[in-house]
Amino acid sequence: MDVAIVGAGIVGLTTARAIASRRPDLRIALLEKEATVARHQTGSNSGVIHSGIYYKPGSLKAQLTVRGKAELEQFCADHGVPYERCGKVIVATRPEELPQLDMLAKRAADNGVPAERIGVERLRELEPHAAGLGALHVTSTGIVDYPVLCDWLADELEAADHEIRLHTAVTGIAEEDGQVVVATEGDYVTAKVLINCAGLHSDRMANLTPSSRTDIRIMPFRGEYYSLVPARRNLVNNLIYPVPDSRFPFLGVHFTRMVKGGVEAGPNAVPALAREGYRWGDIDRRDLAEILTARSSHILARNYWRTGLGEIHRSLSKRAFVTALQALVPDVRSEDLIRTGAGVRAQAIGPDGALLDDFAFAETARQIHVVNAPSPAATASFAIGRVIADKALERLG
Ligand SMILES: Cc1cc2nc3c(=O)[nH]c(=O)nc-3n(C[C@H](O)[C@H](O)[C@H](O)COP(=O)(O)OP(=O)(O)OC[C@H]3O[C@@H](n4cnc5c(N)ncnc54)[C@H](O)[C@@H]3O)c2cc1C
């Protein structure tokens, strides 16, 4: 093999696509432990094509989201993948949030994202059931079904004779004689370059060889969803978001119309007790021991305990979850919502307990590890794939 990629989520798939489109002669294998592509973060996200307004100007997130979004939409248009540019409103529900809306409007302008500050009347026209003192209307935000998109990416790669090996968990990595040997359960693959797009397990993959060891750790944050019952979907036209807490990388519970139909409410952000901990009952002893003993987790807990407790309360109490949603749409009632699924975010934290804000990579002579690709990495994936392809092709000469 020329390139082995661990993980067939959207970042692994778009990376393979970016390499294959520039060097069709190279042989690429994607190694995926699950039975299908897009099983974890990609398969349980909110389905939003983010505009790129939230992120620090000049950051990778700001640049790659705007670029990746354009390419993702083009791919959808070319392949008939359903997507919509439906727009969203970010709503200030308290007077002290109005200056934050203005700051977000400025940030949108800095990032080259069209966004309009609107008053209550226009908000009522766009979202008649939303309550607010003012809002930001972001017209370029869209919705898509990421797993459907990933199926297209996988089909395209297989049609070009690249391999997607499902049920193939990577268990070891070693560099030998100018090659990378990638051990899987009962087999191995050799490649000139290894790319780690393992999402929730990316730090562990990086730590398999001494040269790529990282002090960044993945902290799993679960996001739980409710769904509006069909009779009450008229409460929401498109996407209704709160003004986010700028100290926290998550956007706050919101309403999202899904491209396949239905309206989801959520996700919250609670610490998960396993990297693939989709429910409170999912506990992995090794994952939990790491979370409880790491110094970085202690610092994180100390810094965010108040927010964390609020999120846990909203997770355990439907009433608290509904109260948060009622700030945005006062007419929503508990009986309008049914609990649906959850996703787990792979959020990297540094040794100092700080939540890593930007996308991040760790690299050696033959390995490229994606160590932080949280939201909006699905939106940005086509551009992230290009960045990684540049790094890989540089190594391949
Ligand atoms: C609740 C939630 C909501 C979100 N909403 C949005 C949104 O609306 N818009 C947006 O742009 N982003 C959103 N995101 C973020 C986005 O989904 C992720 O940033 C993106 O999917 C990351 O893709 P990935 O390929 O890096 O990871 P993943 O999709 O998690 O893929 C990693 C893959 O690696 C595989 N793997 C792991 N370990 C191994 C191993 N040892 N061997 C083989 N395979 C392995 C896994 O099985 C998995 O398939 C959301 C995320 C969550 C969790």
Side-chain angles (χ1 to χ4, degrees), residues 128-142:
H129 295 276
L133 307 171
L136 199 60
H137 184 205
V138 191
T139 48
S140 59
T141 303

Side-chain angles (χ1 to χ4, degrees), residues 6-13 31-34 36-50 146 168-171 197-202 205 221-225 241 254 267-268 276 342-346 359 370 373-380:
V6 188
I10 198 164
V11 175
L13 289 162
L31 311 173
E32 169 54 56
K33 68 184 171 70
E34 302 293 347
T36 59
V37 303
R39 263 287 278 117
H40 289 286
Q41 296 177 91
T42 306
S44 49
N45 69 20
S46 304
V48 176
I49 308 174
H50 285 291
Y146 283 109
T168 304
V170 171
T171 53
C197 302
L200 288 155
H201 302 275
S202 54
M205 287 292 113
F221 280 97
R222 185 172 56 251
E224 298 155 331
Y225 292 97
Y241 279 61
H254 48 265
N268 55 1
E276 294 173 10
V344 185
R345 306 171 180 86
F359 300 144
V370 181
S375 187
T379 304

Side-chain angles (χ1 to χ4, degrees), residues 12-59:
L13 289 162
T14 48
T15 297
R17 179 175 197 265
I19 296 171
S21 63
R22 279 174 53 196
R23 287 282 306 273
D25 57 306
L26 296 179
R27 288 177 316 138
I28 305 171
L30 276 123
L31 311 173
E32 169 54 56
K33 68 184 171 70
E34 302 293 347
T36 59
V37 303
R39 263 287 278 117
H40 289 286
Q41 296 177 91
T42 306
S44 49
N45 69 20
S46 304
V48 176
I49 308 174
H50 285 291
S51 62
I53 78 161
Y54 296 108
Y55 320 112
K56 198 168 160 200
S59 63

